Amino acid sequence: MYRTHTCGELRLEQKGQTVTLAGWVQKARKMGAMSFIDLRDRYGITQLRVDETCPEEVSKIAAGLGREYVLQATGVVEERQSKNARIPTGDIEIRLTGLKILNAAQTPPFTIEDESDGGEELRAKYRYLDLRRNPLKNALMLRHRMAHEVRNYLDDKGFLEIETPFLIKSTPEGARDFVVPSRMNPGEFYALPQSPQTFKQLLMVAGYDRYFQIVRCFRDEDLRADRQPEFTQIDCEMSFVEQEDVLNLFEGMMRHLFKSVINVDIPEKLTRMSWYDAMDNYGSDKPDIRFGMKIHEITSLVQGKGFSVFDSVEYVGAISVPGAAQYTRKQIDELTEWVKRPQVGAKGLVSIRVGADGIKSSVDKFYTSEDLAAVVEAVEAKTGDLVLVLCGAKRKAQTMLGVLRLEMGNRLGLRDPHVYAPLWVVDFPLLEWDDETQRFYAMHHPFTAPKPEHLELFYSDKKEDLERVCANAYDFVLNGTELGGGSIRIHEADVQSRMFEVLGISKEDADYKFGFIINAFKFGAPPHGGLAFGFDRVCALFGGQETIRDYIAFPKNNVGRDVMLDAPSRIDDVQMDELYLRSTAPVK
Ligand code: ASP
């Protein structure tokens, strides 16, 4: 037997017992005739003591230990002289009677401490050493707990966990597919699933009624901040449901997760905010509702007064920043530069100070004090506030105001990661027009159903009509982040065909790529709907972290590489030949 106890387990109650532990050397230090070894495993740290009462062999081995050596240590549990209240085993130590090196270790390239001295790249290369550190261990433990509680909740609600294939057919619509060449089918490729979307719908056609899966998904996207090419979803689908059934069940799941994983209570019934209200009031389809500072449209109040910048645009909007009237000229100039950065994209910024001594703006020469007072009233600014105004095409200007609002929320400390403000955003438009390609794209995905009351509009030939079609689509949003989303699906073959037509996918192309699902809908598909949560992100947010990387045991870096494996990599010519492949990439 390698051990009788773990390194996190022993207390004063076991005083006098002879025990055997196994683990890694966190630290070994000599103090006069005695030496101490901190032995670490997944469960904690236990102090080992070597003194003159120990066998000579033990002292000899103890003198030659290095960090991260793997040991088996036997000894007697004793009360410590100087206790360590910071660790649960801090009242005891083990006076050694036997010590064995199970494996020596090279000195690790960085310290295995909560705050490591290793840079990101180095720690990624030695991920298995980084994973020995507490912050990562705690992250993976939280992830495990979360998965377990998801299964508990959904099992309790009658969901079946069913696996779906990873080698499927390429149907790029949203992101790019990762593809896998087939040796047995020369010249043909599988794709890795971007999500199990069509399979879960087929499971509904097959009558499985309530499905879920904690499943890996693959998307070959340019990795914007904090995305991973492979990530995990809690993927779910239900039959014979309407939108409210889905929302109620899954806000129940989130409530259960909040309570069971981090002991946080969220409201009994979450806000349902329409996409239009979210855009108009928060300039975002994932509003952070931990704070107010809502966006107000002031177009009609500021046009026609001779200020050509405002006169020439579709929309003028403003936010009122509480208590920021004392911003100096310099601070406002800095903020103006900030909104002009490409990430925000504004041309300029107009500000109105609501001071105790009156209202002053950067555009005083165009507006009377009554004009400005009307704006101040419209945006609900109070004395001491600073009103910030941006303009442009409606949705673009709102989005810029939304970004500015978040920035001001950050600057004012209104975005505490330990305050949780979840909500549903609902009633998304079904379609999104893209000027560049001159076609519609599905805002969620091509299987999302138009609202029944918009079905007639959906069959219209006019672009304006199609732009007005709404979907029973919904996103679960937490603190300005989309954690999940889904929709009620199309379940009729002719509506699905119409959808492909609207998306500019020819009948032949639709049949080639999606014939299986259009066909399945001809064999008695039940009304159904579902959603998927980004599992990595749920874990990160519950852990109070912004990045998902620490919640994935072996993540990729920001150019999609696994620096530990050094993947992706070239394959040899034999393998290439077997797969009927030729590379046109330049040789590195
Ligand atoms: N499959 C969708 C996604 O990955 C979620 C859903 O509609 O259920 O975004």
Coordinates of all heavy atoms in Angstrom, one line a residue, residues 195 197 200 219 233 235-237 444-445 485-487 489 530-532, ligand 1:
S195 N -21.2 22.3 -33.3 CA -22.1 21.9 -32.2 C -22.9 20.7 -32.6 O -23.0 20.5 -33.8 CB -23.0 23.1 -31.8 OG -24.2 23.1 -32.6
Q197 N -25.9 20.4 -33.1 CA -27.2 21.0 -33.4 C -28.1 20.0 -34.2 O -29.2 19.7 -33.7 CB -27.1 22.3 -34.2 CG -28.4 23.0 -34.4 CD -29.1 23.4 -33.2 OE1 -28.4 23.8 -32.2 NE2 -30.4 23.3 -33.1
K200 N -29.0 16.7 -32.3 CA -30.0 16.8 -31.1 C -31.4 17.0 -31.7 O -32.3 16.4 -31.1 CB -29.6 17.8 -30.1 CG -29.6 19.3 -30.5 CD -29.3 20.1 -29.3 CE -29.1 21.6 -29.7 NZ -28.9 22.5 -28.5
R219 N -14.5 25.0 -33.5 CA -14.7 26.0 -34.4 C -13.4 26.7 -34.8 O -12.6 27.1 -34.0 CB -15.7 27.1 -33.8 CG -17.0 26.6 -33.5 CD -18.0 27.6 -33.0 NE -19.2 26.8 -32.5 CZ -20.3 27.3 -31.9 NH1 -20.3 28.6 -31.7 NH2 -21.3 26.6 -31.5
Q233 N -19.6 22.6 -24.4 CA -21.0 23.1 -24.2 C -21.8 22.2 -23.3 O -21.6 20.9 -23.4 CB -21.7 23.2 -25.6 CG -21.2 24.4 -26.4 CD -22.2 24.7 -27.6 OE1 -22.9 23.8 -28.0 NE2 -22.1 25.9 -28.1
D235 N -25.1 21.0 -23.8 CA -26.0 21.1 -25.0 C -27.3 20.4 -24.7 O -27.3 19.3 -24.2 CB -25.3 20.4 -26.2 CG -26.0 20.7 -27.5 OD1 -26.3 21.9 -27.7 OD2 -26.3 19.7 -28.2
C236 N -28.5 21.1 -24.9 CA -29.7 20.5 -24.5 C -30.8 20.7 -25.6 O -30.8 21.7 -26.3 CB -30.2 21.2 -23.2 SG -29.0 21.4 -22.0
E237 N -31.8 19.8 -25.6 CA -32.9 19.9 -26.5 C -34.1 19.3 -25.8 O -34.0 18.3 -25.1 CB -32.6 19.3 -27.8 CG -33.4 19.7 -29.0 CD -33.2 21.1 -29.5 OE1 -32.2 21.8 -29.1 OE2 -34.0 21.6 -30.3
H444 N -29.1 33.5 -35.2 CA -28.7 32.5 -34.3 C -28.1 31.3 -35.2 O -26.9 31.2 -35.2 CB -29.9 32.0 -33.5 CG -29.5 31.0 -32.4 ND1 -28.4 31.2 -31.6 CD2 -30.0 29.8 -32.1 CE1 -28.3 30.1 -30.8 NE2 -29.3 29.3 -31.1
H445 N -29.0 30.5 -35.8 CA -28.5 29.6 -36.8 C -29.7 29.2 -37.7 O -30.8 29.5 -37.4 CB -27.8 28.4 -36.2 CG -28.6 27.7 -35.1 ND1 -29.9 27.2 -35.3 CD2 -28.3 27.3 -33.9 CE1 -30.3 26.6 -34.2 NE2 -29.4 26.7 -33.3
G485 N -27.3 30.2 -25.3 CA -28.3 30.7 -26.2 C -28.9 29.5 -26.9 O -28.4 28.4 -26.9
G486 N -30.1 29.8 -27.4 CA -30.8 28.7 -28.1 C -32.1 29.3 -28.7 O -32.3 30.5 -28.8
S487 N -33.0 28.4 -29.1 CA -34.2 28.8 -29.8 C -35.2 27.7 -29.9 O -34.9 26.5 -29.7 CB -33.8 29.3 -31.2 OG -33.2 28.3 -32.0
R489 N -37.1 25.6 -32.6 CA -36.6 25.3 -33.9 C -37.7 25.2 -34.9 O -38.9 25.0 -34.6 CB -35.9 23.9 -33.9 CG -35.1 23.6 -32.6 CD -34.0 24.6 -32.4 NE -33.2 24.1 -31.3 CZ -32.2 24.8 -30.7 NH1 -31.8 26.0 -31.2 NH2 -31.5 24.3 -29.7
G530 N -34.4 24.2 -27.8 CA -33.3 23.9 -26.8 C -32.3 25.1 -26.7 O -32.6 26.2 -27.2
L531 N -31.2 24.7 -26.2 CA -30.1 25.7 -26.0 C -28.8 25.1 -25.7 O -28.8 23.9 -25.4 CB -30.5 26.8 -25.0 CG -30.3 26.5 -23.5 CD1 -30.9 27.7 -22.7 CD2 -31.0 25.2 -23.1
A532 N -27.8 25.9 -25.7 CA -26.5 25.4 -25.2 C -25.8 26.4 -24.4 O -25.9 27.6 -24.7 CB -25.6 25.0 -26.4
Ligands
ASP1 N1 -26.2 24.9 -31.1 C1 -26.4 26.3 -30.7 C2 -25.0 26.9 -30.5 O1 -24.0 26.2 -30.4 C3 -27.1 26.4 -29.4 C4 -28.6 26.0 -29.6 O2 -29.3 26.6 -30.4 O3 -29.0 25.1 -28.9 O4 -24.9 28.1 -30.4

